[in-house]
Amino acid sequence: MTNTKRVLVVGSGIGGATAAYALRRIGMDVHCIDTKPETPTAGAGICLLHNTMRALGTIGLAEPCLDSGLAFQVFKQHDATGKLLMSNPAPPGCGMRRPELARILEGAAESAGAVLEKSMTVSDLIDRGEKVEVTLSDGREEIYDLVVAADGAYSGLRDRVFGKEHAVRFAGQSAWRFNAPRPSEVDGFCLYRSADGKRTVGALPTSKETCYLFFLESSAEHLHMPDDQLHLLLHERLEAFSAPVIRDALAQVTGPAQVTFRPFDITLVPAPWHRGRVLLLGDAAHSPTPQMTSGGGMAIEDAVVLAECIAAQPTIPDALQAHSKRRFDRVKTVCDASLQLCRYEQDPIPDPQRSAALLLQTYQFLGQPM
């Protein structure tokens, strides 16, 4: 595609910011908006697996992530006391802080010439076939060749254009997350399991100095925790773990603002992921459980493949069809594996080795072309 096209990217999170940058690199006129007033400066970590680093490498952003985070290539399992039970090589990945990834992606998009606006959303949208007419929340009326809905799992544009039947559903688990100084033994994806196998704590490096930990909690109903007691509730839940990595990290958690709690609300919209000239991308199209640590990675792949398809196809409708064809089966495989791992962890009698085997098998699948 040689003629410059104008695109609106709704959402400047991982998928949206990557899309803004990747589309700008192929010469598109990119306008990216987000309801948030500023780039996030708080948050836990993210694991960028080998496929994600490969995708970032194709657009020149792997090195900044490696410089900010910490590369690893090992998957380790421990008991609740910290005793190492098993260590397996894993494809190389990178752990980093989410605010750092946001800074890199948004900075790249703006440096490439994309226009980013915060505290902004879509008030109205009409797809005219050849163009999309959009009314922004400040009253401006704009016309675009393409609208990319990268506005997350609770996407308002998905509800508006695709229907509310694709809304998220609760997967039966929630995650507690918190940051900590990194001990030397957290040099990869580390899991710590309780004696009965029903509770799991994970740890991942996010830089040479830092790591983040997470605890998965199963429940039949959607849980809501009081924001002012998150640190106290976290300490209660991890009393059974005596592993020094966990105890030392918990000693740093003294206030509720240091803890995030999120139920796993998931969706997978059937293909195609476009209606006319409106395309779903990232969590708006597929919000998996985080067991494969691939939600952000799949969004990054979506964005890179979208730019490739637009560059290769004669029209935007052709590009959108090609995008869904390339992405759906791959994403579905990862979503299915993530959900199966989530269900394994909710079994009355968990089998950690069954979970580990599926995890490693899906790591290998991710090595296939995106």
Side-chain angles (χ1 to χ4, degrees), residues 293-329:
T293 62
S294 289
M298 290 294 100
I300 288 170
E301 284 193 358
D302 281 356
V304 172
V305 171
L306 176 61
E308 291 177 353
C309 289
I310 290 177
Q313 298 294 328
T315 69
I316 283 180
D318 289 336
L320 298 184
Q321 290 178 14
H323 182 264
S324 285
K325 185 175 181 180
R326 282 182 60 178
R327 295 301 297 153
F328 183 77
D329 287 345

Side-chain angles (χ1 to χ4, degrees), residues 188-243:
F189 186 11
C190 302
L191 292 180
Y192 302 81
R193 301 187 189 276
S194 62
D196 60 7
K198 294 182 179 181
R199 293 197 166 200
T200 301
V201 175
L204 276 164
T206 52
S207 72
K208 293 179 181 177
E209 296 82 22
T210 60
C211 67
Y212 90 96
L213 289 84
F214 61 88
F215 166 61
L216 305 180
E217 179 169 355
S218 299
S219 63
E221 302 296 331
H222 207 277
L223 297 177
H224 298 276
M225 298 295 169
D227 290 341
D228 62 345
Q229 297 179 41
L230 290 177
H231 60 309
L232 302 176
L233 295 170
L234 176 68
H235 278 268
E236 288 178 5
R237 281 159 169 76
L238 301 188
E239 283 180 347
F241 291 87
S242 59

Side-chain angles (χ1 to χ4, degrees), residues 51-259:
N51 62 297
T52 310
M53 297 305 293
R54 177 183 61 192
L56 289 168
T58 66
I59 56 175
L61 295 182
E63 285 304 317
C65 292
L66 287 169
D67 290 343
S68 176
L70 186 69
F72 65 86
Q73 46 189 330
V74 64
F75 168 49
K76 300 194 296 189
Q77 299 183 71
H78 309 75
D79 66 15
T81 70
K83 179 183 176 182
L84 180 63
L85 303 176
M86 187 176 297
S87 179
N88 297 99
C94 176
M96 64 185 304
R97 293 285 305 278
R98 281 182 176 268
E100 274 295 287
L101 180 60
R103 177 188 63 80
I104 289 168
L105 295 177
E106 287 194 14
E110 288 189 301
S111 296
V115 176
L116 269 65
E117 289 191 273
K118 301 288 188 175
S119 300
M120 184 76 61
T121 189
V122 172
S123 294
D124 197 16
L125 177 149
I126 302 174
D127 191 334
R128 298 294 189 186
E130 293 298 318
K131 302 287 182 179
V132 184
E133 297 175 0
V134 175
T135 302
L136 300 175
S137 55
D138 66 353
R140 279 180 292 167
E141 296 180 350
E142 304 284 354
I143 296 176
Y144 301 95
D145 298 281
L146 171 65
V147 173
V148 177
D151 51 341
Y154 308 95
S155 170
L157 281 179
R158 182 188 62 226
D159 289 350
R160 179 195 297 264
V161 178
F162 287 70
K164 293 187 177 182
E165 63 268 26
H166 303 299
V168 296
R169 68 185 191 279
F170 181 51
Q173 267 192 335
S174 305
W176 301 75
R177 295 182 173 96
F178 57 104
N179 298 310
R182 185 183 75 88
S184 59
E185 55 264 46
V186 179
D187 56 355
F189 186 11
C190 302
L191 292 180
Y192 302 81
R193 301 187 189 276
S194 62
D196 60 7
K198 294 182 179 181
R199 293 197 166 200
T200 301
V201 175
L204 276 164
T206 52
S207 72
K208 293 179 181 177
E209 296 82 22
T210 60
C211 67
Y212 90 96
L213 289 84
F214 61 88
F215 166 61
L216 305 180
E217 179 169 355
S218 299
S219 63
E221 302 296 331
H222 207 277
L223 297 177
H224 298 276
M225 298 295 169
D227 290 341
D228 62 345
Q229 297 179 41
L230 290 177
H231 60 309
L232 302 176
L233 295 170
L234 176 68
H235 278 268
E236 288 178 5
R237 281 159 169 76
L238 301 188
E239 283 180 347
F241 291 87
S242 59
V245 165
I246 297 173
R247 301 320 309 171
D248 291 346
L250 282 173
Q252 305 290 321
V253 179
T254 58
Q258 295 172 271
V259 182

